[in-house]
Amino acid sequence: MIDTETLSDIQIYVDTHFLPSLEQEELLFSCGSCADELESDIYEYINQEQEETFAEVLFSFIETSGSTEVDIYTRAGLDRKHFSKIRAGLSGKTYTPKKETIISLGLSLELPRQSFDKLLASAGFSLSSAIRRDLVVSYCIEHSIFNVIDVRLAIDSIEHT
């Protein structure tokens, strides 16, 4: 359980780093009927630039963690069936869990910030200074608070103040 002093520190951290979200304009890109050459260039670009998939990054971290998959998904609060969906990503099936699930996995792996960011980015997510709950997660990572339940309690506490 996180003590009141730590919750107070988290509140100060969030208040200091919180950036209200700005209105974002949507950028719509429509290719319609791309020329074959452009389409070929796009595929070449993708093949050169595409990084590891979420599943590849996750299982690489699990492998180097020294923990078993069962330990990791149990600490993250996932069941075997959900984790199996994630594992299927290694065989080419496309499944990307929700951001909250990825955060729970990152916490259960006790990843340092750079690795945590890599895990989130591999699924198209990031921690934002414009989102209070993300700031709580950032604080917890920076202060080595990796217990998923404690982090969720801290989020609930900060979001309701």
Side-chain angles (χ1 to χ4, degrees):
M1 191 73 164
I2 294 182
D3 59 33
T4 54
E5 184 179 332
T6 303
L7 281 174
S8 177
D9 289 346
I10 293 171
Q11 182 66 54
I12 292 167
Y13 180 91
V14 169
D15 291 343
T16 303
H17 292 85
F18 182 67
L19 300 173
S21 59
L22 302 173
E23 191 171 288
Q24 297 178 351
E25 294 182 25
E26 284 189 46
L27 177 62
L28 300 176
F29 175 76
S30 174
C31 189
S33 58
C34 294
D36 289 340
E37 185 176 322
L38 176 58
E39 195 170 317
S40 175
D41 289 346
I42 290 171
Y43 282 116
E44 183 179 332
Y45 178 83
I46 289 171
N47 288 332
Q48 290 174 353
E49 299 296 322
Q50 189 170 22
E51 296 179 0
E52 293 176 290
T53 66
F54 167 72
E56 291 167 340
V57 172
L58 173 65
F59 286 98
S60 171
F61 285 141
I62 291 173
E63 189 176 307
T64 59
S65 74
S67 296
T68 66
E69 291 178 7
V70 175
D71 289 339
I72 298 301
Y73 74 69
T74 301
R75 284 195 302 248
L78 304 179
D79 62 22
R80 184 181 53 80
K81 185 176 179 182
H82 189 180
F83 194 75
S84 293
K85 278 180 156 180
I86 296 169
R87 178 174 262 301
L90 289 174
S91 60
K93 297 194 172 156
T94 53
Y95 171 72
T96 303
K98 294 180 180 177
K99 182 177 177 179
E100 183 177 326
T101 300
I102 298 167
I103 288 171
S104 295
L105 287 164
L107 291 169
S108 69
L109 284 161
E110 298 185 7
L111 295 175
R113 181 59 189 255
Q114 187 174 3
S115 298
F116 207 99
D117 289 343
K118 179 179 180 179
L119 182 65
L120 283 167
S122 70
F125 298 113
S126 66
L127 294 175
S128 169
S129 294
I131 301 172
R132 294 175 79 79
R133 68 185 311 118
D134 285 1
L135 285 169
V136 173
V137 173
S138 294
Y139 177 93
C140 291
I141 294 166
E142 291 173 19
H143 291 84
S144 300
I145 301 170
F146 294 111
N147 182 290
V148 173
I149 293 170
D150 287 346
V151 174
R152 287 181 184 160
L153 289 172
I155 290 169
D156 288 344
S157 176
I158 297 301
E159 285 188 335
H160 293 97
T161 56

